[in-house]
Amino acid sequence: QFDMSSNALSGSLPDFAGSISSLQELDMSNQSIGFTGSIPQDIWRLQSLKILSLAGNKLSGIIPPAIGNMVTLNELDLSSNVLISSIPSELGVLVGTLKRLGLAN
């Protein structure tokens, strides 16, 4: 578990996959200043991740098709960011495991 929620962190999100590939929970939500830029591609390679919360930041860009690779994901919250584009169809792969999905702005 890596919980850094509700702090004043800013800048780009760090790379995670190489150093903590067995991570099951990642919560970097609700930063008072907010992370900016796109979601790093290596996050979508965290195959053990069950909870991912990046809500309440200033992340931009797209939700990539690689999200379909996260077959153990139970909770995904990307709400309150400035993500663009449509929801990728690959998100449908997670229907059997995903219990909570937050994409609201």
Side-chain angles (χ1 to χ4, degrees):
Q1 180 180 358
F2 189 82
D3 186 346
M4 291 292 290
S5 61
S6 301
N7 283 293
L9 301 174
S10 63
S12 298
L13 280 170
D15 292 335
F16 287 96
S19 58
I20 46 179
S21 60
S22 61
L23 186 67
Q24 292 187 4
E25 296 181 28
L26 176 58
D27 189 346
M28 304 283 283
S29 63
N30 300 315
Q31 301 300 319
S32 62
I33 299 173
F35 288 110
T36 57
S38 61
I39 301 170
Q41 291 299 310
D42 71 330
I43 284 184
W44 311 116
R45 291 192 294 269
L46 293 171
Q47 297 298 309
S48 300
L49 207 60
K50 294 182 180 184
I51 298 172
L52 175 60
S53 182
L54 301 175
N57 283 288
K58 296 176 177 105
L59 296 170
S60 58
I62 64 167
I63 302 171
I67 194 168
N69 298 335
M70 302 184 77
V71 295
T72 60
L73 203 60
N74 293 320
E75 295 182 25
L76 174 63
D77 194 351
L78 301 176
S79 59
S80 299
N81 281 291
V82 287
L83 298 170
I84 58 171
S85 189
S86 58
I87 298 169
S89 60
E90 289 81 1
L91 193 60
V93 172
L94 308 179
V95 167
T97 58
L98 203 57
K99 307 288 187 250
R100 183 173 175 274
L101 175 63
L103 298 176
N105 279 331

